[in-house]
Amino acid sequence: MSILKKFIDRVLFKEIVEALNLTFKHMFVREVTFEYPHVKRDIPDTRRGALCLLRYEDGTERCVGCDLCEAACPSHCIKVVSTEEQNGRVLVRYAKEFYIDMTKCVFCGFCVEACPVNALGMTKMYEYSSEDKRTLLFDKTRLYEIGET
């Protein structure tokens, strides 16, 4: 009996019929493709995108140049150069230079968690591809521009 069944399956091309059946099933299903440049997906609030620097409401910088974000980064993509200035009787410390190499960033969020003054934040920005790798080295001014949007 099994020899007859194998023969019938071979004559009727059972595998081809099953494949065509599957193909016809998928032909009448609604499309899930996004036309990317014209239609953009809704990004969840928990998405970890590009990093940004944040300011206080009065426009002053939050970053105090403590270098904790640099120490917490597992991929060593953050470079902070801090300096101190005498402002009246108060010694003020701030980040003179702040760089993030986005080609090395793994978007783990450890730097955001390590910041004691919430100066770093993760945005939903994901469109920062470039043909030149050097443009993905974000400096302090670029990070503040990203944070303001």
Side-chain angles (χ1 to χ4, degrees):
M1 186 72 169
S2 67
I3 297 173
L4 180 64
K5 183 172 177 5
K6 286 181 185 179
F7 178 73
I8 292 173
D9 288 346
R10 286 184 186 169
V11 170
L12 295 178
F13 302 109
K14 181 181 174 188
E15 291 85 10
I16 295 174
V17 172
E18 288 176 358
L20 286 172
N21 187 21
L22 182 67
T23 303
F24 283 121
K25 268 192 221 177
H26 287 286
M27 281 179 61
F28 302 108
V29 176
R30 192 173 145 251
E31 293 181 10
V32 293
T33 305
F34 285 94
E35 299 295 327
Y36 169 64
H38 308 293
V39 178
K40 296 187 180 177
R41 300 184 77 167
D42 292 329
I43 307 289
D45 292 334
T46 58
R47 163 93 162 84
R48 293 182 185 159
L51 288 161
C52 70
L53 282 172
L54 303 171
R55 298 180 189 267
Y56 286 114
E57 286 77 25
D58 61 352
T60 59
E61 296 179 1
R62 286 188 182 192
C63 184
V64 293
C66 65
D67 301 336
L68 287 176
C69 56
E70 185 177 355
C73 182
S75 61
H76 305 291
C77 65
I78 300 175
K79 176 71 176 153
V80 180
V81 178
S82 58
T83 187
E84 296 176 347
E85 277 187 5
Q86 191 72 29
N87 189 359
R89 299 185 73 198
V90 179
L91 186 65
V92 178
R93 183 176 174 166
Y94 66 96
K96 181 179 175 184
E97 297 176 21
F98 197 102
Y99 299 103
I100 297 178
D101 189 356
M102 295 306 288
T103 60
K104 294 180 183 177
C105 185
V106 293
F107 305 100
C108 62
F110 290 164
C111 55
V112 177
E113 297 296 324
C115 186
V117 292
N118 295 329
L120 271 174
M122 297 288 244
T123 64
K124 292 183 182 182
M125 185 177 117
Y126 60 91
E127 295 177 326
Y128 51 89
S129 61
S130 173
E131 293 179 2
D132 188 12
K133 186 177 178 181
R134 289 173 286 210
T135 60
L136 296 176
L137 179 65
F138 292 178
D139 61 343
K140 188 176 175 181
T141 56
R142 176 107 187 255
L143 289 167
Y144 277 121
E145 288 173 5
I146 294 170
E148 291 169 359
T149 57

